[in-house]
Amino acid sequence: MASIIGVASSPFPTQTSHLLPSRSNSISSLIQLKRDSVRRLLLLRVNCSSRQVGDAETESESKVVLPDTSADTGISAYNWCAALGGIGFLETSYLTFLKFTNSEAFCPVGDGASCGNILNSSYSAVFGVPLPLIGMVAYGVVAILGIQLGQKSRPLGIGEANGRLVLLGTTTSMAAASAYFLYILSTKFTGEFCPYCLASVLLSFSLFVSSIKGLGFQEVQKDVGIQLLIVLLVVSTLNNSYSDSQPTNTGSSMAEMEYFTTEITSESTPFAISLAKHLRSIGAKMYGAFWCSHCQEQKQMFGREAAKLLDYVECFPYGLKKGTYMIDACQEAKLEGFPTWVINGEVLSGEKKLSELAALSGFDMKEELTEAK
């Protein structure tokens, strides 16, 4: 029995010994699978979170890059330059027209004499070039540059960067000239008021500030040396121009006088009337000043009727005041005194007898009487 029991009982322990290890292996494999899945989930979460962080950083960077405040500021500033330059161009075009047509300026504020005294003074031209014409060109260039820079196009075909520098240089020269003329107005034309001059000063300074905003203060600081050189060049040019255009026969000791007319009382002879007509027909001119006694005596020689027929040029039509000099026509004639005759291109100073004027102009009274018959 014992042997049978031993033989019969021997298989059970053997089977249990084989089954237990297989179950433990399956459990360990399941645990390992769970661990691997957990690791994979963690890796996926880490990768997703890192991608989200990267996307967030990219979005934040794009948000920082997109709003370019300098570009917006530049466009706004250049639009201002275009608008102000256009206004200045219209103003100086009007003044240029008046200059070339010898017309009177309309003064909306103050008396008309103030505008005329300043706009027709020796400071109204630079080396013979009318100042309004120079301003018209400068304002036109600024307006064109402002429009093209505002549209992000190549200004005048020189590139955006160079266009900004040209705009800054132009407005710098305009501001320097305006400051110079503002000093002239306050020292040479005390008590006078010129709205056109003050408007031009305001426009020039506004354009200068707008061009600085458009370019940026950091870029402007790099070109400070060039700007200072431009200012010195402008001031030196203006000083040299006005030192060469000092008036003739006007000293600082001469008293200021308002413009007045003197009545001619003498009667004109037929010879004087015929001579005056002849002088006018050949383009002869008489240059004088309202305060000049010799000029009045010359007119008295012709008489009342004949004097009206002469081509007479008044060199001080707005009176004689400090800082007000001869008009451009008299300065261009290079007068040495009053009265001055210009006959057939010859400049003749001083009073002339009617017989002298007849001989100098080729006037023959006998021929005139014959042609009249």
Side-chain angles (χ1 to χ4, degrees):
M1 287 294 293
S3 61
I4 293 172
I5 293 170
V7 172
S9 62
S10 61
F12 293 100
T14 306
Q15 289 179 357
T16 56
S17 63
H18 285 289
L19 289 171
L20 290 174
S22 62
R23 290 179 180 177
S24 63
N25 290 335
S26 63
I27 292 171
S28 63
S29 62
L30 289 173
I31 294 172
Q32 186 66 31
L33 287 173
K34 290 182 180 180
R35 288 177 180 177
D36 291 341
S37 62
V38 170
R39 287 177 182 177
R40 288 176 182 176
L41 289 173
L42 290 174
L43 288 173
L44 288 174
R45 290 180 180 178
V46 171
N47 290 334
C48 290
S49 63
S50 62
R51 288 178 183 177
Q52 291 175 355
V53 171
D55 293 340
E57 291 177 354
T58 304
E59 290 179 0
S60 63
E61 289 177 359
S62 63
K63 290 180 181 179
V64 172
V65 172
L66 285 176
D68 189 358
T69 56
S70 63
D72 294 338
T73 304
I75 293 174
S76 177
Y78 294 134
N79 286 337
W80 273 109
C81 287
L84 295 175
I87 296 173
F89 180 80
L90 293 177
E91 179 202 8
T92 50
S93 296
Y94 169 68
L95 296 178
T96 301
F97 170 77
L98 296 179
K99 195 71 174 178
F100 283 110
T101 58
N102 293 322
S103 304
E104 296 292 337
F106 169 73
C107 284
V109 181
D111 57 344
S114 296
C115 289
N117 290 340
I118 298 173
L119 296 175
N120 293 290
S121 68
S122 61
Y123 292 100
S124 63
V126 179
F127 290 114
V129 181
L131 191 61
L133 179 60
I134 299 175
M136 185 177 69
V137 174
Y139 281 119
V141 171
V142 169
I144 293 173
L145 288 173
I147 292 173
Q148 294 185 336
L149 287 172
Q151 295 176 350
K152 296 296 183 179
S153 59
R154 291 173 61 87
L156 303 178
I158 58 177
E160 184 176 355
N162 293 330
R164 292 182 178 183
L165 292 178
V166 172
L167 179 62
L168 179 62
T170 304
T171 55
T172 300
S173 62
M174 294 171 67
S178 296
Y180 182 91
F181 289 120
L182 192 61
Y183 168 77
I184 295 296
L185 286 174
S186 61
T187 56
K188 303 293 184 181
F189 297 94
T190 54
E192 304 284 349
F193 182 76
C194 178
Y196 298 104
C197 307
L198 297 179
S200 183
V201 169
L202 180 61
L203 287 172
S204 298
F205 285 134
S206 300
L207 286 170
F208 177 63
V209 173
S210 297
S211 62
I212 289 179
K213 288 184 177 180
L215 187 61
F217 290 101
Q218 293 181 351
E219 293 295 328
V220 172
Q221 290 176 356
K222 298 178 182 178
D223 302 317
V224 171
I226 298 177
Q227 290 177 273
L228 293 176
L229 182 62
I230 292 174
V231 172
L232 292 176
L233 182 61
V234 169
V235 174
S236 176
T237 301
L238 294 175
N239 278 331
N240 291 333
S241 173
Y242 297 135
S243 63
D244 294 338
S245 61
Q246 293 301 313
T248 304
N249 283 358
T250 54
S252 59
S253 59
M254 184 172 289
E256 295 186 0
M257 289 184 289
E258 297 292 336
Y259 177 79
F260 61 86
T261 58
T262 302
E263 183 182 1
I264 301 173
T265 57
S266 62
E267 297 291 335
S268 297
T269 63
F271 174 76
I273 294 175
S274 298
L275 177 59
K277 291 180 179 178
H278 171 73
L279 290 172
R280 191 177 188 90
S281 66
I282 65 173
K285 294 180 182 294
M286 174 186 170
Y287 296 86
F290 69 94
W291 44 263
C292 171
S293 59
H294 296 286
C295 300
Q296 303 306 322
E297 292 174 2
Q298 182 73 84
K299 292 179 181 179
Q300 291 287 356
M301 290 183 188
F302 278 91
R304 184 168 48 253
E305 295 82 5
K308 295 178 181 179
L309 300 175
L310 296 173
D311 190 357
Y312 174 74
V313 180
E314 173 59 55
C315 293
F316 296 89
Y318 305 103
L320 183 64
K321 297 180 180 180
K322 184 179 179 181
T324 303
Y325 304 132
M326 296 187 299
I327 61 175
D328 294 343
C330 296
Q331 294 188 36
E332 292 171 0
K334 298 180 180 180
L335 309 179
E336 295 181 356
F338 298 120
T340 294
W341 287 91
V342 178
I343 303 175
N344 296 327
E346 185 178 0
V347 180
L348 307 167
S349 299
E351 296 177 59
K352 301 296 178 185
K353 295 180 180 180
L354 298 187
S355 58
E356 291 182 73
L357 292 173
L360 291 168
S361 62
F363 175 73
D364 191 346
M365 186 63 180
K366 295 180 180 180
E367 293 182 1
E368 292 290 332
L369 292 175
T370 303
E371 292 178 0
K373 292 179 180 179

